[in-house]
Amino acid sequence: MRSLEMTILSSFHTLFIFFLFFALVNSRKLKLRTELDESLTYLWPLPSEFTSGNDTLTVDPNLSLSVSGNGGGSVIVKEAFERYKHIIFKHGSKVAGSGDYDIKQLSVTVHSDNEELQLGVDESYTLLVAKSNERSIVQGISIEANSVYGAVRALETMSQLCVFDYVTKDVQVQNAPWLINDKPRFKYRGLLLDTSRHYLPIEIIKQVIESMSYAKLNVLHWHIIDEESFPIEVPTYPNLWKGAYTKMERYTVEDAYDIVNFAKMRGINIMAEVDVPGHAESWGKGYPDLWPSPNCTEPLDVSKNFTFDVISGILSDMRKIFPFELFHLGGDEVNTDCWTSTPHVEQWLEDHNMTAKDAYQYFVLRGQEIAISQNWTPVNWEETFNTFASKLNPRTVVHNWLGPGVCPKVVAKNFRCIYSNQGVWYLDHLDVPWDEVYYADPLEDIDDPQQQELVLGGEVCMWGETADASNVQQTIWPRAAAAAERLWSGPEATSSKNTSSVVLQRLEYFRCLLTRRGVQAAPVTNFYARSPPTGPGSCYEQ
Amino acid sequence: MRSLEMTILSSFHTLFIFFLFFALVNSRKLKLRTELDESLTYLWPLPSEFTSGNDTLTVDPNLSLSVSGNGGGSVIVKEAFERYKHIIFKHGSKVAGSGDYDIKQLSVTVHSDNEELQLGVDESYTLLVAKSNERSIVQGISIEANSVYGAVRALETMSQLCVFDYVTKDVQVQNAPWLINDKPRFKYRGLLLDTSRHYLPIEIIKQVIESMSYAKLNVLHWHIIDEESFPIEVPTYPNLWKGAYTKMERYTVEDAYDIVNFAKMRGINIMAEVDVPGHAESWGKGYPDLWPSPNCTEPLDVSKNFTFDVISGILSDMRKIFPFELFHLGGDEVNTDCWTSTPHVEQWLEDHNMTAKDAYQYFVLRGQEIAISQNWTPVNWEETFNTFASKLNPRTVVHNWLGPGVCPKVVAKNFRCIYSNQGVWYLDHLDVPWDEVYYADPLEDIDDPQQQELVLGGEVCMWGETADASNVQQTIWPRAAAAAERLWSGPEATSSKNTSSVVLQRLEYFRCLLTRRGVQAAPVTNFYARSPPTGPGSCYEQ
């Protein structure tokens, strides 16, 4: 046998082992669970505190909304109520309005009329579901929140409590009365979308945002631009979006406003990213001067003021669109070979007595200065911290991705951190099972409470190399939900009584809930994420 | 080397060849097409007759609707107009209402007020798009149709003509004036959905119906029940839906009405299927008497009148829900072993002097009688025709699936036929490329015009073994669109000037149009349907 054949055989052995494993993993699915375990709490993510009872209450399809408090009259509350009413009463009733229902009214009290959506906005709420009673103060369902965004979170929880009963054909709340006091564990609960490797139409981005609200995620990290394409309009430098794949695969300024507003209505911030100096090749299609040379096109030319003028122009235009205080400046994976191999840049380095590494630091810090001058808080990928931590602006938020153990170092140096360890929270890593996503924790190896405070939260990243409009949702869900519970509920709610099998049943339930709402969430336990179901079966066990 | 290893090596060789082929297929995608070929007509399916010009006209975001004719006031027209307005004006304008637009009004004339949606309903329309002119009779866009469903088809075509221009930020119609005279080649243009192998939530079914209307498909063949699960409510036999996977994976009567009405608003009929006597094991979970015995559970027990009482009850309940004249009774893949091996059934066969094959015929014909007595037209899978053609009720519509060459035999015997040759039009066959779907033809080998008339059309089948809510849309699209053009446009529109590469570019455009409308249509040219994109790139070339 020749050695080439040996190599092939060896590859084949790997494949063979993989197929065996695959068959094994799937065989355990042959279990048949005929009905749901009624003892579990099918709320996702789990509220931080709750009590329940033994009553089953019916909900009037003509449920009315009553509001109070300074923020009660907000259109954000009203529209959220209408959205959730549509979700809850998807099935027609037997005879509309004929019944005598236990719950006829939803009362929402919002104390503050401040609708500014910023990092750390108060998302806490109290939700009480009890039978309406002439003598009781409580009428049906009541929600109390400090901000409209707390009320939006409460409505999501309420919608998960309301379940259609196929026998009575009523919507019911089981195990009432419910008293829920809830608040998020982390203030930053993110999902990255990459619209450069594949353009995602507005409609698809909205579908993603809508589904994020079901899992109480609150930041869409919009990785707008990368080396492959520059889809967004920048009025100050109108040739930049010549870097789009085609004239149809672009976002206007109005589209971006539309996305920001759509997300805000759901309590979700948009954190825009303009990744510099690497990952920016597409900029040069409109302005070739941004390239070191036409033959060496990345990173952006550090030697020209024009480069920073363009960055400043982009950030200035974006400042009008994105009100969120965080702005992501990238800074990852910078290969400086083009700088050292292009004569005029090399000369500039020499003139300024800089190594290529110095120039990388110079570029990132100058980018941070621009952002800060425009009242952004800069976020940078961890390479910037790993390479020149002491030089970073103290306001920098460091975004971990390369592996575990980074946030502990970041917070030890008093920077804030976002956790996205690629080994567990990169959604394009299709071989990471749901439970590895679930049991990852942004606070791992950080014990000091003050340092813990510096971890803003975490983010699952949906890089777009093999994810486009056709499959982005099924790649995001259900694993993003596993991270969402980690970020919202915290260990006290999810560790003690929740063995892996209990969590799995709850997650399968949430996956099916997503599909009932029209979200293309994939089976939970397939070896590769987003794989098709391996055969016929119930949504609740695939 | 031992022989087991040889076998494994041989399998590995097959795999290796497959991987090589896969790499080869994908390498041709490295072509870079920077922009669309403007000389092509990006309407899908192509209208049967059209002329265009050289004007570019702008469309007012406040486009108004003016209706006339007996059917002009229909809510079907009004709601379709609102849906398409939402689709057309997805992008916000620069300054709303500031412009002077060429097209300010859409005039719709519908001659008939008959809104009955039946097989062969008039879907023809005339669509004229020309600049509004004080002296011309034509104002903007005018649609003329005999039925509201023709108007709905015209609105779809109009929506495809309206394209957002990213420079002017207006919606424009290019190559105006347009005069389009259009009508479908076939009256039956179907898609099968299987809700037994996997339950599909109402919301997902509606997404599929909505997307069908974009491709001018007009029949959803709802394969509701199969051996794995019985998800639908039958009031007369309320235990039947105990055969659902879980209590949540069911459809109420009201859900079914809702689906029928949702589809009707889009000119789409629902053809329900109750597949007997095979593919019916799930019925026995509610009524075990329907099984020959608890150990031998398929086909339904032919010996009991109860079996036919239940069928009659189901059809009677369904007759109230589904107004479409066609009803599918299945009849495929009947393995009669349980009949000949179960003593009481065997005795019954002997008493009635029947072979198992006779009993199969008896069962199918008795089913047909029940359907006909309830004013349905029976549709049966081709095995019934292949086995006892001369006995079938002459009104039977034969549904081809096993292979090519069946419809010619069917129409030669004066039956009507629906074409679904599994080699090309089964969407769960993931290795059938788009062009094999496209170039298949329901009239292949049928030259006699009178016989051609008996071919009602065709249907692509989305069997659900490995398709659930997470991936059903990306398995359906874009290949269902290839069949949809075959069924609507006919050879005169699609053969002469349309080489495969031209069709491919048009189909890729339509796939991207679907994604812009939020439909998860997969890349067109991957070797396996619904595969992810193989790398970064434009929607228009993947």
Side-chain angles (χ1 to χ4, degrees), chain B residues 283-299:
Chain B
W283 302 32
K285 286 193 188 151
Y287 297 97
D289 274 356
L290 294 168
W291 289 332
S293 80
N295 305 320
C296 218
T297 53
E298 218 168 42

Side-chain angles (χ1 to χ4, degrees), chain B residues 393-405:
Chain B
N393 187 290
R395 288 169 60 187
T396 306
V397 176
V398 179
H399 194 167
N400 153 247
W401 74 278
L402 283 164

Side-chain angles (χ1 to χ4, degrees), chain A residues 84 101 253 280 312 323:
Chain A
Y84 282 108
Y101 299 95
V253 166
S312 183

Side-chain angles (χ1 to χ4, degrees), chain A residues 45-277:
Chain A
L46 262 190
S48 53
E49 289 174 29
F50 60 92
T51 61
S52 56
N54 295 308
D55 296 346
T56 295
L57 307 181
T58 57
V59 187
D60 190 344
N62 298 314
L63 185 72
S64 65
L65 173 68
S66 144
V67 295
S68 60
N70 292 333
S74 166
V75 68
I76 294 176
V77 173
K78 282 206 187 74
E79 289 198 8
F81 174 72
E82 291 304 326
R83 283 199 309 277
Y84 282 108
K85 214 172 151 182
H86 182 74
I87 286 171
I88 294 168
F89 300 104
K90 223 171 250 307
H91 298 272
S93 283
K94 237 175 341 197
V95 187
S98 70
D100 186 22
Y101 299 95
D102 299 316
I103 296 170
K104 295 173 184 167
Q105 186 175 291
L106 168 68
S107 309
V108 178
T109 304
V110 176
H111 295 302
S112 167
D113 63 356
N114 181 357
E115 295 183 2
E116 201 190 356
L117 182 61
Q118 280 297 357
L119 190 65
V121 69
D122 192 332
E123 296 173 279
S124 69
Y125 66 89
T126 300
L127 170 62
L128 180 62
V129 184
K131 192 163 180 166
S132 294
N133 184 316
E134 281 167 30
R135 271 171 294 184
S136 75
I137 299 163
V138 176
Q139 294 289 327
I141 305 177
S142 43
I143 287 171
E144 189 177 350
N146 290 320
S147 83
V148 291
Y149 304 109
V152 168
R153 301 292 171 247
L155 283 164
E156 173 58 41
T157 305
M158 177 197 80
S159 75
Q160 296 189 19
L161 287 176
C162 293
V163 176
F164 182 73
D165 183 287
Y166 282 80
V167 177
T168 62
K169 299 191 178 179
D170 287 324
V171 169
Q172 300 177 348
V173 176
Q174 295 185 321
N175 304 320
W178 284 90
L179 174 58
I180 299 177
N181 277 304
D182 201 11
K183 61 178 196 306
R185 180 183 177 208
F186 289 107
K187 61 183 80 163
Y188 184 106
R189 305 181 305 280
L191 166 72
L192 177 147
L193 271 191
D194 168 6
T195 57
S196 178
R197 276 59 179 259
H198 285 96
Y199 174 81
L200 297 173
I202 300 292
E203 196 69 23
I204 300 287
I205 294 177
K206 288 182 176 176
Q207 289 174 2
V208 172
I209 292 170
E210 182 75 46
S211 57
M212 286 172 71
S213 72
Y214 302 155
K216 298 191 172 77
L217 292 171
N218 74 346
V219 180
L220 177 70
H221 172 180
W222 189 3
H223 185 86
I224 311 175
I225 310 152
D226 208 292
E227 56 187 41
E228 287 85 354
S229 76
F230 195 117
I232 198 166
E233 178 182 27
V234 176
T236 305
Y237 290 94
N239 289 343
L240 280 170
W241 69 350
K242 287 188 176 172
Y245 285 122
T246 59
K247 64 180 183 179
M248 299 294 282
E249 290 165 291
R250 299 194 286 192
Y251 307 103
T252 63
V253 166
E254 293 77 16
D255 289 338
Y257 275 121
D258 185 23
I259 287 173
V260 168
N261 185 54
F262 184 90
K264 182 180 181 179
M265 298 302 287
R266 288 150 183 85
I268 294 173
N269 267 303
I270 308 290
M271 177 175 70
E273 177 175 357
V274 171
D275 193 350
V276 292

Side-chain angles (χ1 to χ4, degrees), chain A residues 438-451:
Chain A
Y438 188 80
Y439 289 106
D441 200 310
L443 296 188
E444 60 189 4
D445 298 326
I446 303 174
D447 299 321
D448 175 36
Q450 278 187 311
Q451 289 190 354

Side-chain angles (χ1 to χ4, degrees), chain A residues 334-491:
Chain A
V334 181
N335 177 337
T336 54
D337 287 354
C338 276
W339 287 350
T340 48
S341 69
T342 304
H344 81 266
V345 186
E346 197 191 358
Q347 183 63 50
W348 182 89
L349 292 173
E350 204 178 305
D351 293 348
H352 291 75
N353 199 23
M354 283 191 200
T355 64
K357 193 174 153 188
D358 295 337
Y360 165 48
Q361 173 186 317
Y362 162 83
F363 199 117
V364 168
L365 298 183
R366 196 162 164 188
Q368 290 200 330
E369 278 169 27
I370 294 169
I372 288 166
S373 76
Q374 295 181 7
N375 202 27
W376 300 105
T377 295
V379 184
N380 277 104
W381 293 108
E382 66 168 87
E383 287 96 324
T384 57
F385 172 84
N386 301 341
T387 318
F388 46 89
S390 64
K391 307 290 183 183
L392 285 175
N393 187 290
R395 286 170 59 188
T396 306
V397 176
V398 178
H399 194 166
N400 153 246
W401 74 279
L402 284 165
V406 177
C407 281
K409 291 179 201 156
V410 168
V411 298
K413 295 206 172 168
N414 219 30
F415 289 102
R416 289 177 292 174
C417 194
I418 295 169
Y419 174 88
S420 291
N421 174 5
Q422 64 170 340
V424 284
W425 282 14
Y426 265 30
L427 297 170
D428 55 322
H429 291 206
L430 302 176
D431 58 349
V432 178
W434 73 270
D435 51 339
E436 287 187 22
V437 178
Y438 188 80
Y439 289 106
D441 200 310
L443 296 188
E444 60 189 4
D445 298 326
I446 303 174
D447 299 321
D448 175 36
Q450 278 187 311
Q451 289 190 354
Q452 289 183 341
E453 278 296 307
L454 292 172
V455 178
L456 297 181
E459 175 179 302
V460 283
C461 298
M462 181 64 274
W463 294 105
E465 281 84 351
T466 69
D468 66 4
S470 72
N471 63 354
V472 69
Q473 282 285 63
Q474 60 171 192
T475 319
I476 293 172
W477 307 107
R479 291 184 305 161
E485 181 155 290
R486 178 64 43 218
L487 290 165
W488 179 278
S489 306

